């Protein structure tokens, strides 16, 4: 899905979708938002991938994502020789108008390569609440000098972050060649 405007997705499955090319890096293995609002409810996004950022959902240019009771499992971004990649399940750019709200969602076994095994947030607004679970997510960069935030990576632009009533279990940041920070959360 590549959308502008508003979209609601309820009780839907996205499985093994991908966004890739041999020529150029692509973003958002299942969903790409550009100046859009997306409401996800009771939706499952499983084993989706992208060759750059956001194995499942990518937010750009003033987009808003509200996810309630959703499950993100086994989503990933792949590495290239040139770039580090981020957001195994979800990635939000630095746009000041972007916002993400997750309520009662599960993030399981997602791989963000270098930044944010489940979520990489470069925008100011992130809310994680009401029983979200982060289980077995990882950053495990095999080529670069960084692996940040096994479950969540929040850049210095993420100035309005709130995490409440959530659980982080068995997440990790691993790097055989350099730095690894924040097995669960890295704020940088």
């Amino acid at each position: 899905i590549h959308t502008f405007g508003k979209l609601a997705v309820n009780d839907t499955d996205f499985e093994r979708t991908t966004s890739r090319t041999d020529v150029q890096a692509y973003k958002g293995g299942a969903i790409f938002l550009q100046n859009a609002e997306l409401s996800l409810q009771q939706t499952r996004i499983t084993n989706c991938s992208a060759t750059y950022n956001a194995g499942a959902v990518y937010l750009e240019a003033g987009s808003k994502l509200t996810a309630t009771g959703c499950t993100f499992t086994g989503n990933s971004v792949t590495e290239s020789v040139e770039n580090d990649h981020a957001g195994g399940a979800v990635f939000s750019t630095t746009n000041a108008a972007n916002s993400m709200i997750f309520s009662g969602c599960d993030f399981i076994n997602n791989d963000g390569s270098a930044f944010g095994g489940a979520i990489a947030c470069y925008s100011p607004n992130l809310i994680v609440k009401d029983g979200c679970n982060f289980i077995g997510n990882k950053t495990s960069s095999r080529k670069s000098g960084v692996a940040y935030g096994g479950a969540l990576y929040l850049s210095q632009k993420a100035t309005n972050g709130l995490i409440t009533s959530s659980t982080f279990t068995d997440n990790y940041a691993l790097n055989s060649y350099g730095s690894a920070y924040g097995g669960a959360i890295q704020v940088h």
Side-chain angles (χ1 to χ4, degrees):
I1 297 174
H2 181 176
T3 187
F4 303 89
K6 291 185 178 183
L7 177 66
V9 177
N10 299 313
D11 193 23
T12 301
D13 292 298
F14 294 87
E15 291 186 46
R16 294 181 301 280
T17 60
T18 190
S19 177
R20 68 184 173 97
T21 179
D22 294 333
V23 180
Q24 210 176 20
Y26 274 83
K27 307 160 190 168
I31 300 168
F32 184 101
L33 301 176
Q34 188 170 10
N35 199 27
E37 280 187 40
L38 174 63
S39 170
L40 292 175
Q41 292 191 12
Q42 304 302 320
T43 293
R44 293 146 307 276
I45 303 178
T46 306
N47 297 325
C48 297
S49 64
T51 56
Y52 192 58
N53 293 325
V57 181
Y58 184 91
L59 285 78
E60 185 173 280
S63 294
K64 179 179 181 179
L65 170 63
T66 303
T68 305
C70 296
T71 303
F72 300 84
T73 304
N75 302 292
S76 63
V77 292
T78 57
E79 291 182 301
S80 69
V81 175
E82 298 84 27
N83 297 305
D84 292 319
H85 302 287
V90 181
F91 179 93
S92 179
T93 64
T94 58
N95 190 295
N98 283 359
S99 69
M100 298 184 291
I101 301 171
F102 299 97
S103 179
C105 293
D106 293 326
F107 296 86
I108 303 165
N109 297 329
N110 298 289
D111 185 348
S113 181
F115 300 91
I119 300 170
C121 181
Y122 291 81
S123 58
N125 305 300
L126 171 67
I127 298 174
V128 175
K129 63 180 184 171
D130 300 334
C132 285
N133 296 297
F134 294 83
I135 302 165
N137 301 288
K138 66 180 178 175
T139 52
S140 57
S141 182
R142 291 161 294 284
K143 67 153 206 83
S144 74
V146 297
Y148 293 155
L152 295 176
Y153 173 79
L154 294 100
S155 80
Q156 67 269 15
K157 303 216 183 257
T159 54
N160 297 317
L162 172 66
I163 301 168
T164 183
S165 302
S166 296
T167 303
F168 295 83
T169 306
D170 295 329
N171 301 285
Y172 66 89
L174 172 68
N175 190 334
S176 300
Y177 302 102
S179 303
Y181 299 102
I185 301 169
Q186 168 69 17
V187 180
H188 182 256

